[in-house]
Amino acid sequence: QTILNVGGSHTAGRVAGTYALGYGDPIAVSGTGTLYPIGIVNINSSDYPTVNGLSAKLRIRAQVNCNDVAPTGNYTFGLYPITRPGTSGAAGVCIYTLGTVVSGSNGATVTTPAADSQSTLVGSDFALPSNGQYVIGVVTTGTVAASSHVHVNAQLQFHYA
């Protein structure tokens, strides 16, 4: 079952970094102000009790679609806790900082996607993290090439195993 579905675009000139995914707007770089809402899920273990001896597991599925120009670099998706700094944004923006990726959540990776490519990624199952607010983030390893445009989508799913 999908519990969070997010997506956004990554455009020419964006540098390598860790970005939070939202709801169709440009993806947001960690620790800087953003105008756009990011996709936040509140995970509370009491919402996912053990059923018939089976524990809740999470995984990330993702899709990366590129235009006619290959973007350069790799894209790795994961689940990240978020925090808000004491001063969390000037007029018209909010700041979110992504913490350390949840262990085991960052297995959905595409290496140097090609021009006009469609990539479907599936990460491994991982255990529920500590209770709190989380986002699906993507780590990019290169500056997006001139004229390149990348659409990224990701889903956080749970099932019992």
Side-chain angles (χ1 to χ4, degrees):
Q1 177 180 14
T2 297
I3 59 175
L4 180 63
N5 188 1
V6 292
S9 60
H10 198 52
T11 59
R14 297 294 295 264
V15 298
T18 303
Y19 295 84
L21 277 70
Y23 300 105
D25 292 308
I27 57 180
V29 68
S30 174
T32 65
T34 180
L35 297 170
Y36 310 106
I38 60 175
I40 299 171
V41 63
N42 187 68
I43 295 177
N44 187 316
S45 61
S46 65
D47 293 338
Y48 305 97
T50 299
V51 174
N52 296 327
L54 299 175
S55 299
K57 299 290 183 181
L58 300 175
R59 78 170 159 228
I60 293 179
R61 290 186 176 268
Q63 302 78 40
V64 176
N65 290 279
C66 302
N67 72 350
D68 290 346
V69 179
T72 70
N74 306 330
Y75 291 75
T76 301
F77 296 82
L79 187 68
Y80 292 82
I82 58 167
T83 57
R84 304 274 321 275
T87 302
S88 60
V93 298
C94 285
I95 297 172
Y96 300 92
T97 301
L98 280 64
T100 303
V101 68
V102 171
S103 179
S105 73
N106 57 342
T109 300
V110 60
T111 303
T112 57
D116 291 318
S117 64
Q118 291 182 307
S119 301
T120 300
L121 319 168
V122 180
S124 300
D125 288 353
F126 59 96
L128 289 173
S130 300
N131 294 349
Q133 293 188 2
Y134 292 85
V135 298
I136 297 175
V138 60
V139 174
T140 63
T141 62
T143 297
V144 179
S147 300
S148 182
H149 192 83
V150 182
H151 287 174
V152 293
N153 298 84
Q155 301 80 42
L156 178 63
Q157 300 178 324
F158 95 93
H159 66 101
Y160 288 98

